[in-house]
Amino acid sequence: MTDITPHGGHDQQPAKLGYSPRADIEHRLRLADTDPKAARRAERQVTSMFLLSMVFVVLFVVAYIGIDPSTEVYIPVFGLTSALNIALGLTLGLAIFLIGAGAIQWAKKLMPDVEVVQQRHDQLSPDSDTQEAAANYERGKEESGFARFRMLRRTLIGALIVFPIPLVIMLKDLWVPTPEEEGKSPADILSTTLWTADMRIVSDGTYKPVRPEDLPVGGLISAVPADLQEVEELQGNLNARGKAAIILVRMEPDEIRAQQGDGWDYQGILAYSKICTHVGCPIALYEQRTHHLLCPCHQSTFDLADAGNVVFGPAARRMPQLQIGVDAEGYLVAKSDFAEPVGPSFWERG
Amino acid sequence: MTTTSPVEKAGGATAQYVDKRIGSNKFLSRNLGKVFPDHWSFMLGEIALYSFIVVLLTGVFLTLWFKPSMVEVVYDGSYVPLQGIKMSEAYASALDISFDVRGGMLLRQMHHWAALIFVAAMAVHMFRVFFTGAFRKPREFNWLIGVGLTTLGLLAGFSGYSLPDDLLSGTGLQIARGIMQAAPIVGTWAAFLLFGGEFPGTDFISRLYSVHILLIPGLILGLVTAHLMLVWTQKHTQFPGPGRTNDNVVGYPLLPVYMAKAGGFFFIVFGIIALVGGLVTINPIWIFGPFTPDQVSAGSQPDWYIGFLDGALRMMPNWESSFWGITISWNIIIPAMILPGLMFTALGLYPFLESWLTGDKREHNLLDRPRNAPVRTGIGVMAITFYALLWVGGANDIIATAFDLSINSIIWFLRVSIFILPPIAFVVTKRICLGLQRRDRDKLLHGYESGRVLRLPHGEFIEVHQPLSAKDLAVITAKTDVAPLPAPEKADADGVRNKHYRIGTLRHRLSTAFFGDNVARPTDAEIEAGQHHAEHDAALEAPLHEYEDADQISPGRGGALHHPGMAETNAEQMDERSQH
Ligand code: HEM
Ligand code: FES
């Protein structure tokens, strides 16, 4: 054979069959190179890995058929998990892994471990090729008249530049405004919410109107406008909720140091937007001792006793406050929509 | 001496059939014996490739059951806690995959784990390429492709884990939308177009879906193909070692060794991903619940590769300017647009920058040892430190709870250290590299210190230096010294002003900074003398002849035959040796 067989010496014939010559590096023989018994052991080892792989495929099928998907098992470290998932993962994983382990073992123990050498070649094309390419280019330029027909060239380039415009224009209808959105810019739409004067405040989840007595001092309620459910039904999306969600908190009236408008609270009950002014996460962490509202996304902190101003974190704007009062039946209502856009800033916001 | 089986005959006939039509044997003849160098760090790219294949495979399976729709449905699957709850069809189908499709959970978890491993392997592979200088000429294109692949990998992952429409992924999308909206001029329009109106709308998941399963994987596949074709034609780089030069490749031929090892390794990676997918829960969407824009779970964390962006957002001071009716949200534009833009641009440009400032236009097929390019290594560690600090920022709430620290002080610590620690990392790394270079030089000049002390007959103690092994010698001497670019002349001999004087001076300074501190490689003569000296040192240690029974052979006791004319006593022998 040729010089990449492990037993070959340095003085072998030069490369045959396109094989590369072995590298001139010291090389130690492996056990399997010298001892036929060791070679047979390695062969048996690899064979059993391939066999085992097939066994695991059978076990996979057995598990797939035999294990009920709802069975759970407790495995130390990994906790309580689906028995089927573990069984399938183990059998499939081992079936595949063993093929790889076998192949590598085969390569390591039984294939030649002698390094060989190949010469590299310059990436540069030979001069003749470069010249031929250049000549062809010149010929093409000459024959097409690309250089001579100036108008032809310019109009072609012009046409190629403008032809993608329709493709871009068609992207406009990625957003088809709803009838209510018709004629409004994104900035307009972002600047209004469902809240209107005398809209009842209902608690999120139960959709029950809220009375001042429902909220003890120090308490917090997530709330939405009374007509939200109806609107969501109508629109078939969660857009209105994403802007109108608020939190109600109650503190002693003398704890309130500042508000966004005079008397916007109702007996110490304050309503603030729930949507972070940083990049829009809903906020829920409220520390009643400090009156701080903390956003879980990037930890912007707002002081609800101080007009919702930012006390820490990357948010630049205060939390918008909703002016509230009670209606004739004693339920909490909004006095108007928010005075400023809720949620993250945007270019046209001013 | 070998027999040809019927299968082989058929195979041969097929090869002929194909060859007559596409000339494939030309390719085979050239490439079946192609040589691939071997090193553990060359497997990092392979891991990335194989985990990508697993991602493709499991992803195709997921598409068979996943429904990318935001239409509201009421869940009636077998996961009890969520039964009867309204949710999007996307989320419901992801739950079905997890609980009602046998093996579906395994596929989901394998897909997710493979995605995490894919991005991680790309990152570490990139470190390897960077620190060994494998990006140098002629491999700059592959570096650029790699940067593109990493970027696409992040997008693929983000678009993927946003699909199931659970509370965690929805929060991620909400943040992405908030960032988009802050973009100058086009922000609100871009957001409205992409989401089909306000957030969350009903279009986004299905739009994201085609991006996730078609657009991005297609681009990745194309780039991966180009990447591998370039590796194939340019041939792999290799580490310095005996017999290895800039003009050859030393390693194993494609057939059979490399094919068996690389092919086997694919199955190993695949198998391990299946095992991990079976054993370790990832992204338990059923715990998070369906998405709604007014709820969030505390301590929510994105996948690891998005963490640095999250950290940047958290660390940024809350700057914003409003004037003339417009708002510029620096607190978002800087960390979420400018910073990643700069990071990836710098990454992409680095090879060109380095070759420009060093004036190095040679082809490099032999890798640098990181210590031999102290400035580059320093820059790499500096960048990693910078990235790591951003990443720590992304986990500040978790760190705060785990170590009972205040988030406030962590953020302030990070805001300061992001400017201080990376330069420190640079200086320290460079020093360490230079120290290692000095040690290498000592090894060449004196051999390596064996740690054994020998007392010479005249009472002197020496530490025995041993000559380097052929491998060490080849590795260490592969270092080449490059002179920095010379300082330019202000004017040439005829007094004509040098138009490039300023830029020339800049390059002179930069390249001096790059190479200037390197420890010079000793000359070949010095190395030879040093190694010879060490050999002599080592010879001092050789067992002494036994002079008492010198005329008897006593192999059992290590005795040696005494030849006439040989030194007689131990003292004589040692004297003789130390005279050399
Ligand atoms: C290009 C690299 C890709 C990456 C990094 C990636 C990553 C991800 C990740 C992290 C998820 C979330 C899985 C979870 O629920 O925990 C996901 C979901 C998904 N991916 Fe991929 N993916 C890639 C390519 C593909 C391809 C090529 C397909 C299909 C042809 C695909 C199909 C899907 C589907 C259908 C889902 C949603 C199913 C579910 O979440 O249960 N992905 N992907
Ligand atoms: S979204 Fe609230 S701090 Fe970022």
Side-chain angles (χ1 to χ4, degrees):
Chain A
M1 282 267 293
T2 64
D3 45 3
I4 60 165
T5 51
H7 309 283
H10 287 253
D11 48 355
Q12 287 243 325
Q13 293 292 308
K16 268 188 235 160
L17 294 175
Y19 280 10
S20 309
R22 58 178 288 171
D24 190 13
I25 302 169
E26 255 182 86
H27 169 249
R28 218 180 289 139
L29 290 180
R30 295 161 300 184
L31 204 53
D33 293 330
T34 51
D35 177 3
K37 266 208 216 105
R40 265 199 304 282
R41 248 199 324 276
E43 189 191 339
R44 270 200 305 277
Q45 209 180 25
V46 175
T47 315
S48 48
M49 288 190 195
F50 292 154
L51 274 175
L52 257 180
S53 165
M54 291 189 264
V55 170
F56 277 112
V57 170
V58 174
L59 290 178
F60 178 93
V61 178
V62 170
Y64 187 89
I65 298 172
I67 300 181
D68 182 66
S70 60
T71 317
E72 295 205 318
V73 286
Y74 180 81
I75 307 236
V77 183
F78 298 108
L80 194 67
T81 38
S82 151
L84 179 62
N85 188 49
I86 288 197
L88 296 184
L90 280 178
T91 49
L92 179 66
L94 287 171
I96 298 172
F97 184 91
L98 285 167
I99 297 178
I104 288 182
Q105 189 70 349
W106 184 351
K108 283 208 159 146
K109 286 272 165 75
L110 296 168
M111 293 182 193
D113 70 337
V114 182
E115 292 193 289
V116 295
V117 196
Q118 233 170 25
Q119 291 309 305
R120 292 177 191 272
H121 306 287
D122 251 351
Q123 298 299 323
L124 199 71
S125 310
D127 273 348
S128 56
D129 283 1
T130 308
Q131 277 153 14
E132 193 179 327
N136 262 318
Y137 167 79
E138 285 301 335
R139 187 181 51 77
K141 189 167 104 183
E142 202 39 54
E143 287 177 2
S144 65
F146 201 73
R148 266 174 294 134
F149 306 129
R150 203 163 351 128
M151 278 320 281
L152 226 165
R153 187 174 76 228
R154 291 189 178 167
T155 46
L156 172 65
I157 293 174
L160 287 178
I161 289 175
V162 294
F163 103 88
I165 290 178
L167 305 182
V168 176
I169 285 184
M170 276 190 283
L171 293 179
K172 167 62 189 70
D173 275 358
L174 277 174
W175 172 41
V176 181
T178 58
E180 306 93 79
E181 291 173 339
E182 203 58 65
K184 290 185 191 159
S185 72
D188 295 338
I189 297 170
L190 287 174
S191 306
T192 55
T193 75
L194 274 190
W195 293 107
T196 54
D198 299 324
M199 168 85 66
R200 275 208 182 141
I201 298 173
V202 300
S203 84
D204 194 5
T206 64
Y207 301 103
K208 289 220 182 75
V210 186
R211 287 179 184 278
E213 311 84 85
D214 298 339
L215 191 59
V217 169
L220 173 143
I221 292 181
S222 282
V224 291
D227 64 350
L228 178 70
Q229 266 191 301
E230 201 183 316
V231 171
E232 281 188 347
E233 206 59 47
L234 211 68
Q235 296 183 338
N237 60 37
L238 300 168
N239 298 358
R241 177 183 295 266
K243 283 188 302 185
I246 57 167
I247 49 165
L248 295 170
V249 293
R250 184 164 201 168
M251 43 189 101
E252 298 293 354
D254 60 355
E255 287 177 317
I256 302 175
R257 277 170 285 141
Q259 300 190 51
Q260 294 178 12
D262 263 351
W264 279 18
D265 68 317
Y266 182 77
Q267 296 178 351
I269 298 179
L270 299 159
Y272 281 100
S273 164
K274 196 179 180 179
I275 309 301
C276 186
T277 58
H278 181 222
V279 283
C281 282
I283 305 197
L285 299 174
Y286 176 61
E287 207 194 17
Q288 50 161 294
R289 194 174 46 80
T290 55
H291 311 300
H292 283 178
L293 190 65
L294 177 81
C295 178
C297 286
H298 315 102
Q299 287 88 40
S300 289
T301 312
F302 305 86
D303 188 348
L304 300 191
D306 181 26
N309 283 326
V310 181
V311 289
F312 178 73
R317 293 187 181 262
R318 63 185 189 185
M319 257 338 207
Q321 188 183 356
L322 187 70
Q323 184 182 6
I324 57 170
V326 290
D327 61 12
E329 288 151 77
Y331 289 109
L332 287 175
V333 294
K335 286 291 193 184
S336 72
D337 195 358
F338 285 101
E340 54 191 271
V342 301
S345 292
F346 45 92
W347 177 258
E348 305 92 322
R349 192 180 188 277
Chain B
M1 83 196 137
T2 51
T3 53
T4 313
S5 72
V7 177
E8 283 173 315
K9 279 209 187 92
T14 312
Q16 286 312 109
Y17 182 89
V18 176
D19 184 52
K20 282 189 193 123
R21 284 153 183 85
I22 62 173
S24 44
N25 289 357
K26 278 200 282 295
F27 177 82
L28 295 182
S29 75
R30 261 183 289 128
N31 288 301
L32 287 182
K34 192 178 180 65
V35 173
F36 287 85
D38 210 10
H39 189 265
W40 65 266
S41 68
F42 299 165
M43 295 199 302
L44 295 165
E46 284 183 55
I47 298 179
L49 175 67
Y50 302 151
S51 48
F52 176 62
I53 296 175
V54 176
V55 153
L56 288 181
L57 213 66
T58 51
V60 170
F61 271 92
L62 287 175
T63 59
L64 304 178
W65 293 284
F66 182 70
K67 302 196 183 85
S69 142
M70 293 170 90
V71 171
E72 286 232 321
V73 295
V74 176
Y75 179 67
D76 63 352
S78 56
Y79 183 65
V80 179
L82 292 175
Q83 280 167 359
I85 293 194
K86 275 209 236 169
M87 58 182 63
S88 68
E89 207 172 0
Y91 184 59
S93 70
L95 290 176
D96 287 343
I97 292 175
S98 307
F99 296 106
D100 293 289
V101 174
R102 278 180 285 175
M105 176 92 92
L106 181 63
L107 286 168
R108 260 197 66 233
Q109 301 203 140
M110 280 177 71
H111 191 69
H112 205 134
W113 275 116
L116 295 178
I117 294 172
F118 172 53
V119 186
M122 280 198 291
V124 186
H125 172 57
M126 179 175 273
F127 294 164
R128 196 283 288 173
V129 169
F130 183 86
F131 287 114
T132 59
F135 55 78
R136 291 172 296 174
K137 187 181 167 189
R139 297 183 177 76
E140 301 96 326
F141 292 162
N142 246 357
W143 173 262
L144 285 179
I145 293 177
V147 173
L149 279 169
T150 315
T151 320
L152 286 168
L154 301 190
L155 294 176
F158 183 76
S159 63
Y161 80 69
S162 298
L163 285 179
D165 204 25
D166 55 286
L167 191 53
L168 183 63
S169 73
T171 306
L173 281 184
Q174 204 159 17
I175 293 174
R177 161 115 189 189
I179 292 170
M180 209 183 291
Q181 231 167 257
I185 307 175
V186 296
T188 51
W189 273 98
F192 269 69
L193 289 176
L194 282 175
F195 282 78
E198 286 190 278
F199 183 80
T202 50
D203 295 331
F204 197 65
I205 298 277
S206 52
R207 288 180 184 171
L208 199 63
Y209 186 62
S210 48
V211 170
H212 179 73
I213 70 160
L214 186 70
L215 191 60
I216 296 178
L219 288 174
I220 292 183
L221 205 58
L223 286 183
V224 166
T225 311
H227 201 73
L228 295 180
M229 280 167 60
L230 282 181
V231 172
W232 195 275
T233 49
Q234 295 180 331
K235 296 202 172 82
H236 209 293
T237 52
Q238 60 190 351
F239 277 98
R244 301 179 184 182
T245 68
N246 205 33
D247 304 315
N248 71 8
V249 208
V250 174
Y252 298 102
L254 176 70
L255 207 69
V257 178
Y258 186 76
M259 200 172 263
K261 282 191 177 170
F265 192 50
F266 165 67
F267 285 94
I268 298 249
V269 171
F270 194 170
I272 289 178
I273 291 172
L275 287 172
V276 176
L279 288 172
V280 193
T281 306
I282 182 86
N283 199 18
I285 49 166
W286 53 94
I287 292 179
F288 308 137
F291 177 68
T292 145
D294 59 347
Q295 269 171 36
V296 67
S297 52
S300 49
Q301 287 288 316
D303 270 359
W304 76 266
Y305 42 82
I306 305 289
F308 81 100
L309 270 180
D310 213 38
L313 275 171
R314 291 179 187 203
M315 276 154 67
M316 183 70 199
N318 65 342
W319 301 338
E320 185 176 282
S321 326
S322 307
F323 49 85
W324 304 330
I326 60 167
T327 295
I328 304 178
S329 306
W330 303 112
N331 56 342
I332 297 162
I333 297 173
I334 292 178
M337 295 173 212
I338 296 180
L339 179 81
L342 281 180
M343 282 166 69
F344 282 100
T345 311
L347 207 57
L349 290 184
Y350 184 82
F352 305 97
L353 221 63
E354 186 185 304
S355 108
W356 178 77
L357 73 86
T358 57
D360 185 350
K361 305 279 182 266
R362 294 166 300 162
E363 249 189 45
H364 293 280
N365 300 314
L366 215 47
L367 294 171
D368 267 344
R369 302 169 82 207
R371 70 185 62 175
N372 289 338
V375 172
R376 179 200 302 143
T377 307
I379 291 175
V381 175
M382 179 164 86
I384 292 176
T385 310
F386 181 81
Y387 179 88
L389 286 169
L390 291 180
W391 202 61
V392 168
N396 64 356
D397 47 340
I398 297 197
I399 294 171
T401 20
F403 300 101
D404 204 17
L405 298 166
S406 105
I407 284 187
N408 206 321
S409 34
I410 297 178
I411 287 292
W412 272 107
F413 168 77
L414 289 173
R415 279 178 184 169
V416 175
S417 47
I418 196 100
F419 292 103
I420 296 180
L421 288 187
I424 292 181
F426 173 81
V427 173
V428 170
T429 309
K430 191 177 158 195
R431 286 256 168 100
I432 294 175
C433 288
L434 291 173
L436 290 171
Q437 283 193 14
R438 248 169 259 127
R439 225 176 62 193
D440 282 349
R441 184 183 157 86
D442 285 347
K443 280 191 195 164
L444 290 180
L445 292 181
H446 309 298
Y448 82 88
E449 295 167 2
S450 64
R452 291 190 301 277
V453 174
L454 199 67
R455 183 170 178 268
L456 296 183
H458 47 277
E460 187 194 344
F461 286 93
I462 59 159
E463 187 185 355
V464 176
H465 283 75
Q466 285 195 331
L468 300 175
S469 68
K471 175 150 190 286
D472 286 348
L473 200 61
V475 169
I476 298 179
T477 51
K479 172 172 185 278
T480 45
D481 287 338
V482 182
L485 294 174
E489 301 285 339
K490 252 198 156 84
D492 65 15
D494 306 327
V496 180
R497 238 186 85 250
N498 179 356
K499 267 185 275 173
H500 305 297
Y501 178 71
R502 279 192 172 188
I503 202 89
T505 310
L506 178 68
R507 287 181 70 184
H508 163 66
R509 291 219 182 107
L510 288 173
S511 71
T512 308
F514 199 89
F515 292 123
D517 293 335
N518 274 0
V519 178
R521 177 187 185 277
T523 62
D524 286 346
E526 284 172 330
I527 296 173
E528 198 168 324
Q531 294 304 312
H532 182 74
H533 189 85
E535 260 163 39
H536 166 233
D537 241 25
L540 278 179
E541 260 196 330
L544 301 172
H545 307 300
E546 299 210 358
Y547 61 87
E548 270 154 356
D549 314 318
D551 46 359
Q552 277 178 356
I553 306 172
S554 47
R557 292 192 292 138
L561 205 56
H562 180 235
H563 299 294
M566 253 188 180
E568 289 276 322
T569 64
N570 278 355
E572 273 172 19
Q573 291 183 42
M574 290 305 285
D575 261 353
E576 188 172 80
R577 289 181 183 189
S578 50
Q579 270 157 21
H580 283 288

